[in-house]
Amino acid sequence: KSPKASCRDRRSRFDTPHPPRRAWELALADTVWGCLCVALGAWHPEGQQGGGDDDVGAHGPRAAAGAEDEAEGEFFDSKSFARPVVKRYRTVEGDENWRMWYSGRDGGFDPDAIGISTGRTGLCESDDGITWRRVAGDEALGCVLDTNVEEWWGYDTVHTMAGDVQIISTDKVRGSTTESPSGAGYGVNFMFVSGGDAEEVDMGGVAFGGKSLPDGTSIKGLRMRIGLALSYDGIHWTRMEGDHHSGAIFDVGEEGEFDSLFCGWPQVVQHTPGDLRMYYTTYDRSTERWSVGLARSDDGFKWTKKGMLLSGGGVGAFDERGVSRTWTVMNPSTRNYTMFCEGHSADGGHSVGMYTSFDGVAWEPANGGRPVFEPSKEEGAWDSEHVAFPCVMPMDDGSCRMYYSCSPKAGGGSGIGMAVSDGDDWTKFTRFEG
């Protein structure tokens, strides 16, 4: 079957809405992730060496342990997980329903794939954003969105991850204005994803984290592109056809452009009705800096790239080697946009910094250009190596919660943590200890 025919089939299936299921019908009974129920972050799967994504080339793909039999209980995230995408909803009964989509890898995941925190996408739920229950998806190893195993030409055949989930009411999808009994709100869930295919990208001589990769180095899955999947219940997802022949919603840049290497980790802000802004991450080979690009859309389906927004600070700044993996929210106290970003320092370290904007397009560094959240200085702490992938949720009292990924210096895994701001001062955070 041709790519176009297959995409038409998928779209026609989605146009007929299925009755949404309540999420707890699919939740694993009494399944709680380690310390997620206590400290939301001191837990991580065993057997995974720590390290930030800058370590991809220097250390090569992470070694894969032999996969356990699925019947014995292994899940798609048994080896590592990261990149929390947290949303807070109200159910029709008035209760809170928190959801976290995240990416993970199991022990049998493709050992030749790029060694970053992507793989498959999963979901967990919570009543308070602190104690989490894994939702059992019906795709491979319990995930809710697997790699694209059906279409060899797809942009996400090797690895995929959720960048953001937005509920958008649109007349382009049948049934999108009806209420979701699962508590996920009105409209359709738009999941903006990024993924990589089997192309092996020549990276010989390119510097990541201050280290040049050896000549002849090629990385499978590095050529990431951004795509879209839709769902009525947040659990069952259908890929949508984008303008690019791979199914992505847009292509990487032309040779010499800042985003020619990859486009990944999208996050979307609904600025006004009919004005959606997507912030995405890339790595500029010419400047050897992590950079943030902007794309805009009036419907969430078709996007136009608008160029580079940010590429980090000057000498000595926390983001001297660039910024990446951003999360933008409206600050209710200042009524300005606040962008939390992962900063890459000259020595390869990762911390979280902040930029602010009136319009979501022109950005200025905040907090004097200093990070607002750094790796723990406590010896042996679980997040002493890197803090990355910030996802920020404003709270009713003016404070905010920051969910983040991290890894320990001693190795042993990656995990997800949470920190809480000092009231409405979003430049000061305290790690949540339960």
Side-chain angles (χ1 to χ4, degrees), residues 115-238:
I116 58 177
S117 302
T118 62
R120 300 180 175 98
T121 296
L123 172 65
C124 55
E125 287 193 318
S126 174
D127 298 326
D128 57 9
I130 298 173
T131 302
W132 294 89
R133 303 175 297 275
R134 182 191 281 112
V135 174
D138 55 9
E139 299 203 20
L141 298 175
C143 72
V144 297
L145 186 65
D146 196 3
T147 55
N148 192 344
V149 297
E150 297 178 353
E151 299 159 343
W152 58 265
W153 60 85
Y155 67 93
D156 54 353
T157 55
V158 170
H159 64 98
T160 187
M161 57 149 284
D164 196 5
V165 175
Q166 294 280 339
I167 293 179
I168 300 175
S169 181
T170 172
D171 58 6
K172 295 187 177 182
V173 178
R174 187 181 305 165
S176 71
T177 58
T178 59
E179 185 175 357
S180 168
S182 67
Y186 295 81
V188 171
N189 291 278
F190 282 57
M191 180 185 286
F192 298 96
V193 303
S194 62
D197 59 22
E199 178 187 358
E200 296 192 0
V201 181
D202 180 11
M203 293 296 291
V206 178
F208 271 98
K211 302 176 182 177
S212 294
L213 306 186
D215 290 341
T217 299
S218 61
I219 302 178
K220 178 182 177 182
L222 177 62
R223 189 79 73 201
M224 291 181 284
R225 294 179 175 89
I226 295 170
L228 173 65
L230 301 184
S231 171
Y232 286 103
D233 61 5
I235 303 171
H236 305 88
W237 295 90
T238 299

Side-chain angles (χ1 to χ4, degrees), residues 263-274:
C263 299
W265 296 282
Q267 193 241 339
V268 172
V269 170
Q270 298 186 55
H271 180 65
T272 60

